[in-house]
Amino acid sequence: MKRDAIGKILVQQDDLQHRVGELAQEISNDYKGEEVFLVAILKGAMFFIADLMRQLQIPAQVDFMSVASYGAATGSSGVVRILKDLDSSIEDRRVLIVEDIVDSGLTVNYLLRSLQARNPASLDVCTLLNKIERRQVELPMRYVGFEIPNKFVIGYGLDLDQYYRQLPYIAELKDQEK
Ligand code: PRP
C-alpha cells in the first residue's frame, strides 16, 4: 500500500470505534420506538456508515447518494451535481444524512435543501468529522464525531487522489504547513 503521504495520526482506530459506538447509542436513544432512514454520501462515508449502522439498536434502512461539485472545488460554486440519487422515496421517513466530513458545508447545505424538498418526516445530519474553521454556511449538525483542525486528512474512507481510504485510522497528510 502507498504510505508516503501518511502523517501524524489524528484519530486512532480505537478512538474511532469508541466514538462511532457512542454516536450509534445517541441515535438509537433519540429515535427510540421509530425507524431511521440513513442516507450515506459516497465514497468517503463508506466505513463510517458500515460501522455506525451495525451498532444501531433501532430499525434502520440505508441508501446511498453520490455527489460531485461543479468545477475543481465545491467551494468555487456551491453547486452540487447528483451522480447517484436515492433508489426510493424518503417522503414521511425520518432521514439522517451520514457524512465522513463537513468542510465548507456546501455539500451538506445542498443535500439538506434537495432532500427537504422531498418531504421527509425529519431531516438531520451526522458527520464523523467537522472542520468548523472552513465553514462557509451555517448548518444544523445534529451528530458530530470529532471536531478537527483545518488540515487535510486521510483514512477511514477519506482519500488523497482516491488512495488511503483503507487506513483504519484518520491521519493528517505528511508535511502539511501549519
Ligand atoms: C467530501 C466529503 C463531503 C464533502 C465535504 O467528499 O465526503 O461530501 O467533501 O466538503 P464541503 O463541506 O466543503 O462541501 P468528496 O467530494 O471528497 O468525495 P468522496 O467522499 O468521494 O471522497
Side-chain angles (χ1 to χ4, degrees), residues 31-152:
Y31 290 75
K32 199 167 182 176
E34 297 184 74
E35 298 187 6
V36 66
F37 189 99
L38 304 166
V39 173
I41 311 304
L42 296 171
K43 313 181 177 89
M46 62 195 219
F47 297 116
F48 181 38
I49 188 67
D51 288 342
L52 182 76
M53 190 176 185
R54 278 182 291 183
Q55 298 200 59
L56 289 178
Q57 294 150 32
I58 47 168
Q61 295 182 333
V62 66
D63 201 351
F64 298 89
M65 280 183 86
S66 180
V67 295
S69 53
Y70 281 109
T74 311
S76 60
S77 61
V79 180
V80 173
R81 188 163 48 111
I82 296 178
L83 302 179
K84 186 229 171 286
D85 207 336
L86 299 175
D87 293 338
S88 57
S89 165
I90 54 167
E91 193 169 351
D92 297 329
R93 313 299 300 271
R94 297 206 61 188
V95 175
L96 186 59
I97 297 172
V98 178
E99 265 286 20
D100 54 333
I101 187 166
V102 179
D103 195 323
S104 69
L106 294 171
T107 303
V108 163
N109 190 45
Y110 172 84
L111 288 168
L112 282 170
R113 279 187 284 129
S114 169
L115 297 183
Q116 193 60 59
R118 305 179 194 188
N119 300 317
S122 68
L123 180 62
D124 289 285
V125 180
C126 174
T127 186
L128 180 67
L129 306 176
N130 191 29
K131 214 190 259 185
I132 194 82
E133 277 177 62
R134 297 253 306 169
R135 196 59 37 83
Q136 291 182 26
V137 281
E138 214 172 298
L139 288 178
M141 307 277 286
R142 186 147 181 200
Y143 306 99
V144 173
F146 300 91
E147 300 286 348
I148 62 160
N150 187 13
K151 295 276 175 69
F152 195 99

